[in-house]
Amino acid sequence: MQKQNIEIMNNFEQRIQEYRQTIDKRSLGYRRRLKQQYEIDILKRLPEKFEVVIPAKDQDFWMERFEKVVANLPSPSQNGTSYVKQKNELLRELNKKYNLQRKGQWVAIYAPVFMVSIGVSIGTATGNLVLWLPLGIAIGVMTGYFMEKRAKRKNLVL
């Protein structure tokens, strides 16, 4: 029984290595901007979340989903719209189910929210938008930073 589990783990590790090699091959001609847009680094780090965040019983399901997304990686000259949609859908599902999130997600959410809710509202009420808009943004960035730090401690950041 133990030998069988070790063999399954070795097969899965091999599958992860093949997955990463496929990403490297397909993204070979990408420039830095395209790698950022297609979030290649996140795709490479996704398997690291197995057994840490994603339970062992769901590993095969999610690995198949990852492989389907990687199979749609376009060449540098192709339009990547369908790939981006599929990747974003996958990351959204991982966020809903396991609370996995992209780096900077909370800062991107809270900075404009606090700018509007605190900066504009208090700035308009006091007649001093010049002071309160940056304060609202700063409070939002700090709040987002601390939310991200907490998520990183729980190993939920991709």
Side-chain angles (χ1 to χ4, degrees), residues 21-58:
Q21 288 172 354
T22 304
I23 292 172
D24 288 336
K25 285 178 192 172
R26 290 187 164 264
S27 65
L28 194 57
Y30 291 172
R31 292 197 167 126
R32 188 175 58 87
R33 174 87 170 115
L34 204 54
K35 285 183 180 181
Q36 288 174 338
Q37 181 181 356
Y38 291 165
E39 296 181 303
I40 299 299
D41 291 336
I42 287 177
L43 287 177
K44 285 182 180 179
R45 287 191 303 262
L46 276 172
E48 295 171 7
K49 301 302 177 186
F50 288 131
E51 293 186 19
V52 176
V53 178
I54 300 172
K57 64 182 169 88
D58 296 338

Side-chain angles (χ1 to χ4, degrees), residues 93-139:
E93 288 178 29
L94 286 169
N95 185 292
K96 285 179 186 176
K97 188 155 181 134
Y98 303 109
N99 206 19
L100 288 173
Q101 46 206 257
R102 294 172 170 128
K103 185 176 183 181
Q105 175 179 324
W106 290 112
V107 173
I109 291 170
Y110 280 118
V113 167
F114 276 74
M115 178 189 72
V116 171
S117 63
I118 290 178
V120 172
S121 59
I122 295 176
T124 304
T126 62
N128 199 351
L129 274 173
V130 174
L131 172 67
W132 284 100
L133 276 178
L135 281 175
I137 293 172
I139 293 169

Side-chain angles (χ1 to χ4, degrees), residues 62-76:
W62 288 106
M63 194 64 199
E64 286 176 22
R65 298 284 308 274
F66 299 162
E67 290 168 340
K68 284 180 185 177
V69 170
V70 170
N72 286 335
L73 261 173
S75 69

